[in-house]
Amino acid sequence: MLKVFGGRVVKKFCGRRLYTVVGHDKLPAIGVNVQEGVNVDKRTLASAERKQRTFTDRSQLKYARRLVVKLGSAVITREDGIGLALGRLASIVEQVAECHHEGRECIMVTSGAVAFGRQKLTQELLMSLSMRETLSPSDHTREDAGSILDPRAAAAVGQSELMSMYDAMFSQYNVKIAQVLVTKPDFYNEETRKNLFCTLSELISLNIVPIVNTNDAVSPPMYIHDDSVVPGTGKKGIGIKDNDSLSALLAAEIQSDLLIMMSDVDGIYNKPPWEDGARMMHTYSSKEQVQFGHKSKVGTGGMDSKVNAATWAMARGVSVVICNGMQEKAIKTIISGRKVGTFFTDCPSNSSNSVDVMAENARTGSRVLQQLSPVDRASAIHTLAELLVDKQDKILEANNKDLEEATKGGVAKPLLDRLSLSSGKLKTLSIGLKQIADSSYDNVGRVLRKTKLAENLVLRQVTVPIGVLLVIFESRPDSLPQVAALAMASANGLLLKGGKEAAYSNKALMELVKESLASVGAEEAISLVSTREEISDLLSMEKHIDLIIPRGSSELVRNIQKQSQHIPVLGHAEGICHVYLDKDADPVKALKIVRDAKCDYPAACNAMETLLIHEEHILGSLFTDICNMLKKEGVKIHAGPKLSSQLTFGPPPAKTMRHEYGALECCIEVVKDMDDAIDHIHKFGSSHTDVIVTENESTAKKFLTSVDSACVFHNVSSRFADGFRFGLGAEVGISTARIHARGPVGVEGLLTTKWILEGTDHTAAEFNECKRTWLHEKLPIN
Amino acid sequence: MLKVFGGRVVKKFCGRRLYTVVGHDKLPAIGVNVQEGVNVDKRTLASAERKQRTFTDRSQLKYARRLVVKLGSAVITREDGIGLALGRLASIVEQVAECHHEGRECIMVTSGAVAFGRQKLTQELLMSLSMRETLSPSDHTREDAGSILDPRAAAAVGQSELMSMYDAMFSQYNVKIAQVLVTKPDFYNEETRKNLFCTLSELISLNIVPIVNTNDAVSPPMYIHDDSVVPGTGKKGIGIKDNDSLSALLAAEIQSDLLIMMSDVDGIYNKPPWEDGARMMHTYSSKEQVQFGHKSKVGTGGMDSKVNAATWAMARGVSVVICNGMQEKAIKTIISGRKVGTFFTDCPSNSSNSVDVMAENARTGSRVLQQLSPVDRASAIHTLAELLVDKQDKILEANNKDLEEATKGGVAKPLLDRLSLSSGKLKTLSIGLKQIADSSYDNVGRVLRKTKLAENLVLRQVTVPIGVLLVIFESRPDSLPQVAALAMASANGLLLKGGKEAAYSNKALMELVKESLASVGAEEAISLVSTREEISDLLSMEKHIDLIIPRGSSELVRNIQKQSQHIPVLGHAEGICHVYLDKDADPVKALKIVRDAKCDYPAACNAMETLLIHEEHILGSLFTDICNMLKKEGVKIHAGPKLSSQLTFGPPPAKTMRHEYGALECCIEVVKDMDDAIDHIHKFGSSHTDVIVTENESTAKKFLTSVDSACVFHNVSSRFADGFRFGLGAEVGISTARIHARGPVGVEGLLTTKWILEGTDHTAAEFNECKRTWLHEKLPIN
């Protein structure tokens, strides 16, 4: 039978197996030069391919071609320690089968025979219970009767059961499996050892997934640790202590790229987790020293044994990930490059600029910035502003590289425009930065409230930075210095995550930011996160990041709002703005405001999407004039259901009243009166910006009070909802959230407060005992 | 064989099956009187138990004793529509087996034969491909070759495969299964119909799980819909159109309590989901009218067919839940009472006071409150304050009931104290409420910023309520009127969720709140959520709730912070406060402040947990004096690692430096200097409150600037971190978050802002075209 997988074809030809590289290979052979279509003997290829180093980075894990998956018994048994976690097991089989079909060569090392066997033996035990015992109300199948059973007997019973389960499951995906049982002496006897690896190679080339287990029926599950030299190899072996070391040995011997060890813990810690400051490691490099003592609940091997096995395998060129098997789709997630579990690599560079470290540095950097005088902070921004002009050649050169690649990739014109920098753009940017610097003196440490609580006891509420911000921005590289300047002006730490398309420009600009920060000794306060980092990983760093600001399409914002579970997101996903033309609207003003609200810049979030018209206007000239004006401007009109029902030949009906057209397109609906308009706005709006046009002051007042949106306007175009127009200086974003900042947000949105209390020796008890009295006297701020 | 399940025993005795109620029955028989130990014939029991009504409430679902689980093919097949979702299937088997072992009688109605068969046939197809086809780089097993296969043939091939899979999986849990294949005529022929249900009853009483499927090999998967009378019953039948109607019919005929229909949609909508304002229904009562048209991706039956089947079954006393089978542990979650999918009940009362409706009313109510004058809002609070005193008899009567039940339950003294109300407590509460009322005039609509953007264009930033708050509080019923008053004072809508232990008191107090709200026409602004509502369900209502305030133990706060994913939580989980005694500390002040910080009220979050001492004091008298004082006060001392290493006979070492003792217990550590103290605080603190004791002003200044906590004090006890002491009036909570409010939070923490812009006819275009000019002139607020 011939089997196609992942673009490579294994031809079974007269007993010799050959590899053909057919192109479109999803999993390119690293380090081997094979011409397309040329047949290569497997052995040649294998030795040519032999990597000397592990993958340097998680993003490379998708290239893993030979994969060992080790399942601890904690993964196979349920949380109660007795039953089998069939759902989890089946899901792992599903993922291994998928990897297999993608062209990866998979080997499973599995525990679980004892658990399976126990289940069966318990049942037998039940059959031999007395009548009285059986009639008692407790459920014997759930009790720990099983624990008294001999694990060797249980293993003997369970192994066949386990394999038949694997067989049944894998056969659903057309994957053939084979059972390989090993004991320790198999590795020490040269012949059995050789046989074993030959068998495994043979099975793999036959496109079969070997399922390996220690032969628990003949040997106790826990072996004696032994680091002696493996006979016939001259190499120092890893003692086959348990399935952890077995999987490491196998992975190294068969030259696997990746070993995934699944247990019931999330990964390893840089200290035992009960110690202060312990944290999960996402990447463990060979240079690092860790202490560990984390024991998993079930299973023979603790975390020590896993880490030993992993480092042993890593030293032999196998990348290892230790992860929690309880996590859904762990294998696929790991291969996709997400930060699940701990990744073992011998590439040392990775850990120093890991995001965790960057974020911690950003927090420290923020504290350094905070302690600077406002003049020093402003001077750093001025330095950056000057560097933008002085080093423009370097910036534009980098920008050109991005533009070239984008052009090659066939990127659309508007995106190219956003991506491109010019001498003029940099000049304007530089001027903007100087403005941010000049208005920054009062940002941090401003007193907002001052109260004399009692004699000699004064409380001040002062502004302080929020902490560490994560700004995610698309295409526009000019965002980078702007956001960096805002962070400096507010003494915040900052992580920046830019798009791939602007990678060169961002890198060049970041160098200037670092240079300007270094001038005040706060180099680490701002960092550029690698484009390889997964956004979803960043969004789960709630211990390190205090606020996320996505700057880009509403698609991006919506996505991030949805994914971020514990870090607040500043922004708005939708701008469904309404203009309501009241009964008492001035027709000239109405025409003027509607035109501006819709046509000035239709793609903006503060452009009008729905026009609400008082029913008295429908039969008058205002409605006709508005429609004619909109038509003339090229605006496509949709009618709301009420308007549709009133007109014989009206515009086509709107599919929904809750839609952001973001183009020369809008919806018109008729309303009975102002209250009806307000109801409509509350029902279909996005609480962004809503406008009333009326000459009736009391109607206007009621509208302004009642409409529950971030911005509510009277006789003004909705387009004024903007930080610059509001006089807030540089705009951080527009927020439709109700907590923290709302509406257009300036630097103030990057600040929070702290309370400073100064006394002489005040204690709470003195006030309880009436030895001192409360004054609570409001003091002037200056 | 005898089988024990859930306390009931089925005895197989000479061919007759008898039920014995043995007591400790986890699933009590509703509506049947059976004495303990008395044998009852099954048929008698079955008819006596026959319920006339469905469960009225999700919390009753845990009593479901006979359960039909229907799996749509969308659940069994993978998202790509081809492969099998083995992981999901196994997890469902796991849950059904668990239900079975809990003593529930389970029947499965399953699709999937066609999908299983297709997989197998595709493989056969592959075998008959030509050499050329096989060598092409695409993977045939993943292509839609299967779709050309005859579904009847596929079903024939797949059914046995499907059953052997179920058999293999269920046997892991010691559950025996049986296959029952049905076709439409089986239900019309009286004899086959009777046989069918006899067989099912027999299987169930034999403790076997029947797996039912339509016999797709002989009949096409889609039957003609038919509502004719079922022969032999005189009842109008439901046409056996598909597995949806089949499961409904089975559930009704075998008198099942609960039918769970799993597909790939979350439940039903009150409108088709593409329409504006559509929302998922969590409860569908027989009185409701819904429109639906939601089609699931795979499978024959759309949402119409499911809802028809569900309402048909509901009318026959079967509770139904339609849910998304992709959700993890759906069956167990539904049985535990969580709001997953749509629950069908014929009890109409449920929907009107569902939490969704309450929350929507709270939002409307908040808007009503907002439009009231401050005087009216204050008057409502005054009314409440008076009612608390006037109606104290009624309140205390209700409170007594709670106290009685708590005493019966053997509740500890401190909890009883918190639970109990008294005439005096109500009086104090009433005075507090009046203070809230009197200071409320300036809360809403206060102008924070006023800018003249241009000629005749004035911008104001004014305070508005946040929207809808959810306050979760434990035991103390006095929290209820206090929180209600704060919400009224800030015009917020409010959902209150109290503990079960104070149910009577809370209900009585809520009536008074409603009465006072009714006096200003805002009755719906505040509601008490039923104690039955699951907190986790409330935390997922991000569309309805804007802010969550947990008031209770740090355990409660931590839990809610962890669970709430998209709604901000105001509060603090930890208060690890430090006092640092500087080199230049005044010894007398130091002693005084440390004593107050630790001993005034050790359980408070603002009590000191760690004392940091400058190393120069260790050998002097201050250290000895402090230790003696603490010992005298009964404080248990733990030593930090550095202190431990410096003393020969010191206090026992602290297990961790990051611990909130909350009792007369603290940790002492030595630090090199102030910078070392700051590092320690940043590393181990919780950013709550930290204190320096020093006479050196410049050291103090640096500490106050550098320590990044919500409250930083100089020469003052940490106990001052409190809303009342800060002069903020009523305290909403203390926040250690960095977004929104920070530190002690008063009513201001319940407010946000909106921007009001008033002009004459201003458009953005005019400014771009320089016809108007920006002024951005700051105006005085009054």
Side-chain angles (χ1 to χ4, degrees), chain A residues 3 101 174, chain B residues 82 119 122-123 126 138-143:
Chain A
K3 176 74 193 156
H101 286 303
N174 294 327
Chain B
I82 302 165
Q119 282 249 304
T122 310
Q123 197 181 349
L126 199 72
S138 59
D139 179 359
H140 295 287
T141 58
R142 313 229 107 223
E143 274 176 22

Side-chain angles (χ1 to χ4, degrees), chain B residues 192-254:
Chain B
T192 53
R193 210 187 116 267
K194 218 168 153 185
N195 287 346
L196 175 64
F197 292 112
C198 275
T199 308
L200 287 176
S201 297
E202 190 72 13
L203 289 171
I204 290 170
S205 62
L206 278 167
N207 208 18
I208 286 168
V209 173
I211 313 270
V212 185
N213 195 359
T214 45
N215 193 352
D216 292 336
V218 296
S219 19
M222 177 67 100
Y223 295 81
I224 297 138
H225 188 80
D226 189 339
D227 269 327
S228 55
V229 170
V230 176
T233 63
K235 291 184 286 186
K236 201 176 170 205
I238 184 168
I240 307 297
K241 209 177 84 183
D242 49 28
N243 274 353
D244 293 326
S245 34
L246 172 62
S247 63
L249 185 64
L250 280 181
E253 280 285 343
I254 61 163

Side-chain angles (χ1 to χ4, degrees), chain B residues 649-705:
Chain B
F649 300 104
K655 274 188 195 138
T656 163
M657 314 275 272
R658 196 186 161 83
H659 184 66
E660 188 171 1
Y661 294 99
L664 281 175
E665 217 172 330
C666 77
C667 169
I668 302 184
E669 179 60 315
V670 60
V671 289
K672 269 211 311 280
D673 51 21
M674 189 195 59
D675 287 327
D676 196 16
I678 294 175
D679 282 349
H680 182 106
I681 291 170
H682 285 162
K683 200 164 169 194
F684 301 107
S686 64
S687 300
H688 190 295
T689 301
D690 298 294
V691 177
I692 185 172
V693 181
T694 187
E695 294 303 300
N696 184 323
E697 283 302 318
S698 85
T699 310
K701 197 176 166 205
K702 190 160 181 227
F703 185 88
L704 295 175
T705 321

Side-chain angles (χ1 to χ4, degrees), chain A residues 4 71 110 129 198 263 489:
Chain A
V4 184
L71 303 185
T110 179
L129 282 179
C198 275
S263 68

Side-chain angles (χ1 to χ4, degrees), chain A residues 168-188:
Chain A
M169 287 174 169
F170 271 112
S171 73
Q172 296 307 326
Y173 299 101
N174 294 327
V175 176
K176 300 275 173 295
I177 60 164
Q179 169 183 279
V180 179
L181 285 180
V182 295
T183 51
K184 191 180 163 187
D186 297 340
F187 292 90
Y188 290 90

